[in-house]
Amino acid sequence: MNPVETAELLEIINNIRSGFGISVLLIEHDMALVSKNYNAFPFRKSFEV
């Protein structure tokens, strides 16, 4: 996705979150984008068994 598409998608997600008062699980590799836009959530770097 290019930066414009990313911004548009974030706007849609934020409208869903605020309009319906629900949580959204976002799986995204761009951690800078996630950290600027969402509450902190603990995660693991690897899931080795």
Side-chain angles (χ1 to χ4, degrees):
M1 290 176 51
N2 66 46
V4 173
E5 292 170 332
T6 302
E8 290 172 351
L9 181 58
L10 283 175
E11 184 177 348
I12 291 168
I13 292 170
N14 287 330
N15 289 340
I16 291 169
R17 289 175 61 208
S18 62
F20 294 99
I22 61 173
S23 296
V24 174
L25 174 62
L26 178 66
I27 300 172
E28 174 58 56
H29 69 278
D30 185 348
M31 294 309 292
L33 172 102
V34 173
S35 66
K36 285 190 283 187
N37 291 285
Y38 296 97
N39 296 331
F41 187 83
F43 67 94
R44 293 187 60 172
K45 203 171 197 178
S46 87
F47 291 96
E48 297 175 13
V49 177

